Amino acid sequence: MLGTSTDCYQRAEGRYRLMPAILRALTDHRVPFTTTTKSALLRRDTDLYAEAARVTDVLVMTSLGSLDERVWHAFEPAASPPRARLDTIRALREAGVPAGVLIAPVIPHAADRPEALDALVDACAEAGAVTVFPDVMRLSPGARTWFLTQTARALPPHLHRRLAADFATRPSMPQQYIRQVTDHIHTRAAHHGMPRWQDYLSSLRPLT
């Protein structure tokens, strides 16, 4: 699993170009793998992912929690724009590479309206995503201060107050809320024939 602890296509990758050699090694040894990123820089390596997908199981996941560019500017200013991430999915699928979307982080009150989630899932399906994986935002103590500073700057005061109250003493929203959001996304994805991430992986058969 590449890119789960930290994004492997950060800006430094554009200079140091570490991923091509990693992808070639995985392909040479037919190692099944996934890659997760917020960066459209991954498109540079499309041919390498296509080569790997011909000999082993590959799944590229683009992380995207909202289509709203205001949310992007406020909380992910260093990441690729939402439409660029969807274009990356589309380019990978056209090259024959299985690709999906990690719908994350879903930010409560800022990006969780049902119609916004529906539009996001619809856009993922239109781009050719093979699966989606929803994940509601969690905040560590260190991230909470930065996040609430951003909400105070970028969101209407009443939304900032709600988020400050929700995360004042806990790292995540109540389980009932998380289930509601997750179920909504899964239901919309099923409408497009996209299986849950776990079901997609369990359906794979090792290539020989």
Side-chain angles (χ1 to χ4, degrees):
M1 300 182 73
L2 307 174
T4 53
S5 294
T6 187
D7 199 314
C8 51
Y9 281 97
Q10 296 185 46
R11 290 180 181 178
E13 172 61 17
R15 175 180 178 182
Y16 293 106
R17 299 179 65 89
L18 302 179
M19 284 299 292
I22 292 171
L23 295 172
R24 291 189 186 99
L26 294 171
T27 301
D28 289 345
H29 295 278
R30 300 193 176 195
V31 178
F33 68 92
T34 66
T35 302
T36 302
T37 182
K38 296 177 183 291
S39 175
L41 177 59
L42 180 142
R43 290 185 67 175
R44 179 200 67 192
D45 297 333
T46 297
D47 290 346
L48 294 174
Y49 282 100
E51 183 180 349
R54 287 192 287 269
V55 299
T56 190
D57 287 323
V58 174
L59 178 62
V60 178
M61 297 292 284
T62 292
S63 177
L64 178 60
S66 174
L67 295 178
D68 192 331
E69 293 205 350
R70 295 170 299 178
V71 174
W72 164 54
H73 281 297
F75 303 112
E76 297 181 331
S80 296
R83 292 297 173 183
R85 294 183 233 179
L86 289 170
D87 287 343
T88 299
I89 293 292
R90 187 174 292 105
L92 289 165
R93 297 296 296 122
E94 289 174 355
V97 181
V101 179
L102 174 63
I103 296 183
V106 177
I107 301 177
H109 314 313
D112 64 348
R113 291 180 296 108
E115 56 269 29
L117 294 175
D118 288 346
L120 176 54
V121 174
D122 293 350
C124 294
E126 192 276 331
V130 298
T131 186
V132 295
F133 184 101
D135 193 15
V136 177
M137 185 185 71
R138 297 178 298 276
L139 288 177
S140 64
R144 182 184 297 116
T145 300
W146 177 88
F147 175 77
L148 292 178
T149 298
Q150 292 301 105
T151 65
R153 293 173 178 170
L155 298 183
H158 72 283
L159 292 183
H160 166 69
R161 289 193 294 269
R162 289 181 68 181
L163 283 162
D166 285 336
F167 291 96
T169 59
R170 61 190 179 201
S172 62
M173 296 292 284
Q175 285 300 311
Q176 181 178 357
Y177 170 91
I178 294 173
R179 283 195 300 271
Q180 182 178 356
V181 171
T182 300
D183 289 347
H184 184 95
I185 291 172
H186 281 148
T187 299
R188 190 71 175 190
H191 174 76
H192 292 286
M194 287 188 291
R196 300 184 182 210
W197 182 78
Q198 299 92 327
D199 294 336
Y200 175 81
L201 291 183
S202 66
S203 70
L204 298 179
R205 295 293 182 268
L207 298 175
T208 58

